[in-house]
Amino acid sequence: MAGRGRPAGLPLADSIPTDAGPGLSAAEVAERVADGRTNAYRQAASRSAGSILRANALTLFNGIIAACFLVLLLLGRWQDALFGLSALANTIIGSVQEFRAKAALDRLAVLHAPNARVLRDGSQSQIAVADVVLDDILALRAGDQVPADAVVVTGGHLQLDESLLTGESDPVDKSPGDEVLSGSVVVGGEGLARVERVGAASFANKLSAEAKQFSLVASELRSSIDRVLRWVTWVVGPIALLVFNAQVIALGGWADTFSSGSWRQAAVNTIAAVVAMIPLGLVLMTSIAFAVGAVKLARQQVLVQELAAVEGLARVDLVCLDKTGTLTEGDIEFDAEHPLGDGPDGWREVLAWYGADPDANATARCLAVPYTRAVPGEPTGRIPFSSARKWSAVSFGQGAPGSWVLGGPEMVFPDNRLADRTAQLAASGRRTLVLAHSSRPLPAEERLPAGLEPVAVLTFRERIRSDAAETLQYFADQGVAVRVISGDNPQTVAAIARQVGLDAPHGFDARELPADPVELAEIVEGNTVFGRVTPDQKKAIVVALQSGGHTVAMTGDGVNDALAIKQADIGIAMESGAAATKAVARIVLLDGRFSHLPGVVAEGRQVIANIERVSMLFLTKTAYATALALLFGAFVLQFPFLPRQLSVIDGLTIGLPSFFLALMPNARRYVPGFLVRSLSFAVPAGAVIALTLLAYSWSSASAGVGQPELRTGSTLILTIVGLWVLTVLSRPIDGWKVIIIGSMMIGLVLVYAVPIARDFLQLTEVSAVTALLVLVFSAACVGLIEVVRFVHRRFVGRHTAAHAPASARSAEVDGRVRPPAELIGAVVICYIAGVAEILAGILLLFVRYGDGLDGVERLVVTAVGAATIMLGLLVISLGSGLTRGRREARVLLTVLFAVSAALSVVVLLTDGAVTAFRLLDLAISVAVIVVLWTGRAARFFRRSGSSERRVPSAG
């Protein structure tokens, strides 16, 4: 399969007939340029910068925040306007996301050849691709990319690779009168072609124009959050009026309030209620999680061109693969020789000559590796390869006398004498060629010599990607279906699919695909491999799969894949692919390694699972803020918070911890229904918190507590309850979560203890009555939240089981290990110890109201009491981690109980009296440590660890 093109060293001008004429004159070129008939092409930007900024800045959400921000500045209450920074960050990040997508689309270019050769005024010259005009004569040679659609005028065995456009990997012969399309590549021969279509009318630019339509990747996280924001923004107006009316009446009525100037406080209270309803940080946290995921993937040579694509691939349940460049390396390699008898001497030297021929095509060049000793001397005759006849021939006078033909078995021997021998080889996905010999010379015409006899069958194969089989097995284990869509022969594609482990008994010929969408959907559901697929059919197949409820990813590297990649939920391109394909893809594999996809899936799962947890924090705040606004508005009570108090508490119980929680490892499988699961906790928990604060406010008002002290007590309750919600949603508490939650607790203690912070937040010293009310209502609220979480976990379990794939449910069951009874006993001890610590901390807090304590002593007692309560919360949270087999929880609890045992020993040794309490404390500490590290409990932790590594958690 060699012999294409001109003899080596022959210049272009001597090898191509010049009957195409001298080309266009300078005057003709100028006329066409003036008329706009040039190849210069610049499509309008996919979306203007102004429209992106307007879409992200001029929203109802931002309008509400900006109005509240300006009102507070006008009232001189800049301390309460901290929330404006979060809204600004949301706008900037949203705009940057869309600018990234716009930039990728605006860089779209199918044609990346910088210059073109044309004949003008009788001479050949190089010009920019954009300067080609209609009717120009293109001079094409091997390696050129065709800059515009043209018709061949003259040619010397001209062959084009149109795989980037059509998906068909075999070179195509082009004779005078044949059309050559922009974007195709000359792989053999040379010729002249007259330009027929330029600019926007050319095939490549029309294809890129269709692919270049702007769209953001579908994101359940983003759409769900946007839905919540729409709900909030539409109800915030009526609620704001309700709250403002209540504040005015509570402060003395409309007439007195405006005459005394207290309407300003009513406005501040209303703004506090309104701003608290909006989950300001949720959009920001989602964007940060996407961005960090994209950076981590970039280190693995995976370019994420749109941040939400990190989430998208985790939702995919069906992957469409292009064979060339995805399952295979895209090139051919020699497989084996199959001699047919002894054969004449020198046949291997003939194969070596074919491999070393400068004009050899990709298949013939493979022969240079196994056959290195070529026939000496020059051939006496040759017939170049043609894709139409699918064979080439050469003759030698000595060394290997006679005529030799290399080509397809069915073309060299039309009598099919080799059909039985080659059928099995072809069915395995290997390409077959036959080397035949004749003692007679080559005929003058381009036809086979007489008396041909087969000498050897040669097999070639496409190089399978080393990571393809393992990656496809991963998708099979995860319940992700696969479709192979290719422009090649369907049976060849099916054979390669079988080599990488797919169940593909046969391939479906896309020429038989129906136009009816319903029939098409049935066929694509029932078949795995499709061959002879056109670019439009690839897109239609993706649409049909999406209509069946699938979330579809599409991989590819050619321009023929661009439309399907654009249509798919997640498009994945190889770096070696066409520029158009990479520009419309959401993800680009920079080193072309298909094996990166499981890592992308894992990163997407982490984003979804962590944002779901974080969203419950933010949506709980939205729920209780909305309920508070409604309740305090309906009961005509002063709103119990200042905006600055809510901003600081939200930052320490939601904002800062959510930043870290959103970036922690989490391999939970994706299950649809993110918003339903989040709201099923947030709404009842928010209602509980709002009712608790209402009951506290009513009780405090009945007890004669002033408004500043009432606000301080409300802030204390919200702090305690907010920390508890954070702890509940972070379970199991292990590893970095201990540090995160502990740091937030320390920060809140400092807020209440440091005079500057306390004065800024307008927190006052509380009386014993207020302290008692705070503790009672906080304890009641914490207990109710535990009930809500208990019910929520069971709801989530049922919801997950109903929506998760069967393979995921079975893997989950297989990987679950039940804790032994003695470990359950240790957990109960942890709960009792934690409650005891909390009660001790509460008693210490009451000591601060005793007589004889100065300011420093009161501060120390407060800090110790708060720290004791935090320690109790930590012990309870770690205890919950034991039942899940969390090794970090076991280690931390061992340290805590070891410290307790050591302190008991020290007291027993230094104190003369031996008390039953100290002995019991020592015995319990030692018993818990022994249980955690020996017997069935120790084996439980080992099994849980190995199970966790084997099966991603679903829960």
Side-chain angles (χ1 to χ4, degrees):
M1 292 181 63
R4 296 177 321 197
R6 64 188 184 279
L10 197 59
L12 178 71
D14 295 335
S15 64
I16 299 179
T18 58
D19 54 357
L24 296 178
S25 65
E28 291 172 324
V29 171
E31 178 186 354
R32 285 161 173 76
V33 171
D35 294 341
R37 291 178 287 171
T38 73
N39 206 38
Y41 172 72
R42 183 173 181 177
Q43 186 178 327
S46 53
R47 195 178 183 193
S48 69
S51 67
I52 291 176
L53 290 175
R54 285 193 299 272
N56 284 278
L58 303 181
T59 63
L60 184 58
F61 163 72
N62 282 346
I64 294 170
I65 296 298
C68 294
F69 183 80
L70 289 175
V71 169
L72 288 175
L73 291 183
L74 292 173
L75 294 176
R77 300 288 289 268
W78 62 267
Q79 303 93 331
D80 291 313
L82 300 177
F83 56 82
L85 299 177
S86 179
L88 179 62
N90 288 340
T91 300
I92 292 173
I93 289 177
S95 299
V96 169
Q97 277 186 282
E98 295 198 31
F99 274 122
R100 283 169 56 94
K102 168 184 162 57
L105 292 168
D106 288 346
R107 289 194 300 267
L108 176 58
V110 174
L111 302 178
H112 47 83
N115 295 302
R117 278 184 296 275
V118 296
L119 291 179
R120 290 180 178 176
D121 291 321
S123 63
Q124 184 183 134
S125 60
Q126 286 196 358
I127 62 173
V129 168
D131 294 336
V132 174
V133 299
L134 193 67
D135 298 323
D136 252 331
I137 302 297
L138 300 173
L140 302 175
R141 63 176 64 170
D144 290 348
Q145 187 175 45
V146 180
D149 296 354
V151 173
V152 177
V153 178
T154 61
H157 308 296
L158 184 65
Q159 284 190 320
L160 267 67
D161 177 2
E162 297 181 341
S163 62
L164 287 179
L165 303 174
T166 66
E168 178 66 61
S169 59
D170 291 330
V172 180
D173 283 341
K174 296 294 181 179
S175 303
D178 290 343
E179 185 178 48
V180 293
L181 298 176
S182 53
S184 55
V185 178
V186 180
V187 294
E190 54 207 5
L192 301 177
R194 179 174 283 107
V195 174
E196 294 274 310
R197 290 185 296 274
V198 293
S202 69
F203 178 84
N205 286 332
K206 284 195 292 186
L207 189 63
S208 69
E210 183 176 351
K212 200 172 181 178
Q213 299 303 312
F214 178 85
S215 67
L216 288 171
V217 65
S219 165
E220 185 188 4
L221 291 180
R222 185 166 56 197
S223 62
S224 297
I225 292 169
D226 288 345
R227 196 180 316 153
V228 171
L229 293 178
R230 285 196 300 271
W231 294 342
V232 172
T233 51
W234 285 114
V235 303
V236 74
I239 292 178
L241 293 176
L242 175 67
V243 173
F244 184 70
N245 176 70
Q247 301 311 296
V248 169
I249 294 175
L251 290 170
W254 284 89
D256 293 342
T257 299
F258 279 91
S259 62
S260 65
S262 57
W263 64 269
R264 292 182 174 83
Q265 186 60 48
V268 172
N269 292 349
T270 303
I271 290 174
V274 168
V275 172
M277 292 169 55
I278 300 174
L280 285 172
L282 185 53
V283 176
L284 182 61
M285 288 299 106
T286 303
S287 299
I288 289 174
F290 283 158
V292 172
V295 170
K296 289 166 65 178
L297 289 172
R299 296 175 186 151
Q300 304 174 34
Q301 297 298 302
V302 177
L303 173 63
V304 178
Q305 303 205 105
E306 189 176 340
L307 297 182
V310 176
E311 169 214 342
L313 195 55
R315 297 188 289 107
V316 164
D317 64 351
L318 192 146
V319 179
C320 293
L321 309 173
D322 177 51
K323 172 183 68 68
T324 305
T326 304
L327 298 183
T328 66
E329 299 283 358
D331 53 6
I332 303 297
E333 63 180 358
F334 179 77
D335 178 54
E337 64 176 37
H338 306 272
L340 304 173
D342 294 336
D345 294 336
W347 64 271
R348 289 185 174 87
E349 285 76 6
V350 172
L351 292 176
W353 180 88
Y354 270 111
D357 182 13
D359 288 331
N361 63 12
T363 304
R365 283 196 297 270
C366 296
L367 297 172
V369 176
Y371 305 106
T372 57
R373 185 175 179 181
V375 177
E378 293 296 322
T380 57
R382 62 188 299 183
I383 298 176
F385 173 80
S386 164
S387 60
R389 57 176 176 263
K390 297 190 183 300
W391 58 265
S392 63
V394 64
S395 62
F396 295 94
Q398 58 182 358
S403 299
W404 302 86
V405 178
L406 182 66
E410 70 281 3
M411 306 303 290
V412 177
F413 296 102
D415 57 2
N416 289 327
R417 71 177 77 174
L418 298 176
D420 293 339
R421 194 173 189 92
T422 60
Q424 185 176 3
L425 296 172
S428 66
R430 287 177 284 184
R431 298 186 181 187
T432 57
L433 295 179
V434 64
L435 178 67
H437 177 260
S438 173
S439 59
R440 301 181 185 183
L442 287 177
E445 306 86 6
E446 291 187 349
R447 58 182 176 83
L448 291 168
L452 280 174
E453 293 294 334
V455 176
V457 172
L458 307 171
T459 53
F460 302 81
R461 63 187 175 196
E462 290 190 72
R463 187 174 300 161
I464 304 294
R465 286 184 174 271
S466 59
D467 53 8
E470 182 180 355
T471 305
L472 291 176
Q473 183 60 49
Y474 170 84
F475 283 127
D477 294 341
Q478 302 301 311
V480 178
V482 172
R483 298 291 184 272
V484 181
I485 305 175
S486 175
D488 279 350
N489 182 286
Q491 304 314 320
T492 301
V493 179
I496 291 175
R498 290 192 293 271
Q499 291 181 42
V500 294
L502 291 178
D503 182 15
H506 63 276
F508 192 96
D509 195 325
R511 291 172 293 188
E512 301 175 9
L513 286 175
D516 181 69
V518 177
E519 295 179 15
L520 178 61
E522 293 177 357
I523 290 175
V524 297
E525 283 288 348
N527 292 272
T528 301
V529 172
F530 298 87
R532 305 296 186 198
V533 186
T534 65
D536 287 335
Q537 284 179 320
K538 287 191 175 186
K539 179 181 177 181
I541 289 173
V542 171
V543 172
L545 291 168
Q546 290 172 326
S547 69
H550 293 290
T551 302
V552 181
M554 174 75 195
T555 71
D557 59 354
V559 175
N560 62 304
D561 301 317
L563 296 180
I565 284 178
K566 177 69 176 176
Q567 176 63 40
D569 297 283
I570 296 294
I572 305 166
M574 306 296 174
E575 172 61 20
S576 58
T581 308
K582 290 185 289 185
V584 299
R586 313 294 188 180
I587 294 172
V588 179
L589 305 181
L590 297 179
D591 57 3
R593 290 178 58 190
F594 190 44
S595 58
H596 288 312
L597 293 187
V600 180
V601 172
E603 195 63 43
R605 286 180 171 179
Q606 174 176 314
V607 169
I608 291 178
N610 285 338
I611 292 301
E612 181 170 334
R613 173 161 49 196
V614 166
S615 71
M616 286 192 276
L617 287 171
F618 285 99
L619 295 179
T620 298
K621 186 198 82 165
T622 296
Y624 73 64
T626 304
L628 277 175
L630 291 171
L631 290 171
F632 278 74
F635 287 95
V636 194
L637 295 172
Q638 281 200 56
F639 196 73
F641 299 102
L642 294 175
R644 71 187 76 173
Q645 293 169 343
L646 288 175
S647 295
V648 172
I649 294 172
D650 290 348
L652 289 173
T653 61
I654 299 175
L656 285 176
S658 67
F659 174 81
F660 296 103
L661 292 175
L663 306 180
M664 297 190 70
N666 197 326
R668 192 188 71 184
R669 296 174 184 273
Y670 166 75
V671 179
F674 145 76
L675 187 58
V676 171
R677 292 191 298 274
S678 295
L679 291 177
S680 64
F681 174 83
V683 171
V688 165
I689 295 172
L691 289 171
T692 299
L693 289 169
L694 177 67
Y696 163 77
S697 296
W698 180 83
S699 301
S700 295
S702 301
V705 175
Q707 190 64 25
E709 189 175 341
L710 186 149
R711 284 200 191 104
T712 301
S714 297
T715 306
L716 284 167
I717 291 175
L718 192 57
T719 300
I720 295 170
V721 173
L723 280 173
W724 190 261
V725 171
L726 172 63
T727 303
V728 164
L729 294 179
S730 300
R731 292 173 181 164
I733 309 298
D734 49 29
W736 286 100
K737 294 178 190 174
V738 176
I739 299 176
I740 294 169
I741 296 174
S743 300
M744 297 306 106
M745 291 178 177
I746 292 171
L748 287 166
V749 169
L750 293 176
V751 164
Y752 286 99
V754 176
I756 296 177
R758 188 172 63 245
D759 293 342
F760 175 80
L761 295 175
Q762 295 188 11
L763 300 175
T764 63
E765 286 288 337
V766 296
S767 63
V769 172
T770 298
L772 181 61
L773 289 173
V774 167
L775 293 173
V776 169
F777 282 105
S778 296
C781 188
V782 164
L784 290 173
I785 286 175
E786 283 292 342
V787 174
V788 170
R789 181 57 170 166
F790 179 84
V791 175
H792 173 256
R793 289 184 62 84
R794 274 138 191 81
F795 169 78
V796 169
R798 292 193 298 271
H799 185 273
T800 302
H803 291 83
S807 59
R809 292 196 296 270
S810 61
E812 211 175 297
V813 172
D814 293 341
R816 189 179 296 133
V817 184
R818 295 190 177 278
E822 53 265 39
L823 186 60
I824 297 296
V827 172
V828 172
I829 291 175
C830 290
Y831 284 2
I832 295 174
V835 171
E837 294 281 356
I838 292 172
L839 293 174
I842 292 173
L843 292 175
L844 281 172
L845 290 178
F846 274 103
V847 169
R848 70 196 298 272
Y849 297 105
D851 297 331
L853 293 179
D854 59 23
V856 175
E857 291 172 333
R858 184 172 296 177
L859 177 62
V860 172
V861 170
T862 302
V864 173
T868 305
I869 293 174
M870 293 174 192
L871 179 61
L873 295 174
L874 177 61
V875 171
I876 292 175
S877 299
L878 291 175
S880 70
L882 293 180
T883 59
R884 296 168 177 260
R886 300 291 183 175
R887 298 183 178 185
E888 298 89 344
R890 178 171 65 156
V891 172
L892 288 170
L893 282 170
T894 300
V895 172
L896 290 175
F897 279 103
V899 170
S900 176
L903 290 175
S904 297
V905 170
V906 170
V907 171
L908 289 171
L909 293 177
T910 57
D911 192 348
V914 177
T915 63
F917 174 78
R918 288 297 175 190
L919 290 175
L920 180 62
D921 182 48
L922 177 59
I924 289 176
S925 299
V926 173
V928 169
I929 294 173
V930 171
V931 166
L932 292 179
W933 291 94
T934 61
R936 292 191 301 170
R939 291 194 294 271
F940 165 76
F941 282 102
R942 286 196 295 270
R943 290 197 302 271
S944 297
S946 60
S947 167
E948 186 176 282
R949 289 190 297 271
R950 185 175 63 253
V951 181
S953 170

